[in-house]
Amino acid sequence: QVQLVESGGGAVQPGGSLRLSCAASGSILTMHAMGWYRRTPGKQRELVAAITSNGSTNYADSVRGRFTISRENAKYTVYLQMNNLNVDDTAVYYCYADRGPWYSGLLWGQGTQVTVSS
């Protein structure tokens, strides 16, 4: 079975930085994209950043210019460098993996808490 394991969350002050990591393991035949969603109670789930198999990246407007997503294809590992964090970035960040059109849903990591407060 494929598992996604996340790490790197924590608590920082506004303006601080964190780097999230997500590693996929198990029997992986295909991988179309990986990235992070985030969820705050009372708000809709938001796609934060994604990177596709060809290296293309996509960012939410709210994080563009502050966050950078990268990958290590051989290890199916992705990283999210988060700079200039603000209180609105506080959320549980969930790594996901999209294995393409032959799979009916996304794989999800366990989630990692990011808290930004002064």
Side-chain angles (χ1 to χ4, degrees):
Q1 54 186 348
V2 178
Q3 300 180 41
L4 301 180
V5 179
E6 301 181 54
S7 63
V12 297
Q13 294 182 336
S17 298
L18 288 170
R19 189 177 77 152
L20 306 184
S21 299
C22 179
S25 63
S27 181
I28 302 173
L29 299 179
T30 61
M31 188 69 75
H32 182 253
M34 295 181 68
W36 276 268
Y37 282 84
R38 65 186 180 187
R39 176 69 176 179
T40 299
K43 297 182 179 180
Q44 297 293 320
R45 184 184 65 181
E46 178 185 29
L47 177 63
V48 179
I51 185 165
T52 67
S53 60
N54 65 5
S56 297
T57 58
N58 191 39
Y59 298 94
D61 289 341
S62 59
V63 308
R64 191 182 306 276
R66 299 187 297 119
F67 292 9
T68 302
I69 190 169
S70 60
R71 78 187 195 283
E72 296 181 24
N73 286 336
K75 298 180 179 180
Y76 291 110
T77 301
V78 292
Y79 305 95
L80 185 66
Q81 179 66 46
M82 305 186 295
N83 296 327
N84 296 316
L85 288 161
N86 59 61
V87 295
D88 292 329
D89 297 317
T90 296
V92 179
Y93 286 70
Y94 294 93
C95 179
Y96 80 91
D98 179 356
R99 293 179 290 171
W102 293 104
Y103 298 85
S104 61
L106 304 178
L107 297 174
W108 294 99
Q110 81 280 10
T112 184
Q113 176 71 50
V114 172
T115 302
V116 185
S117 62
S118 59

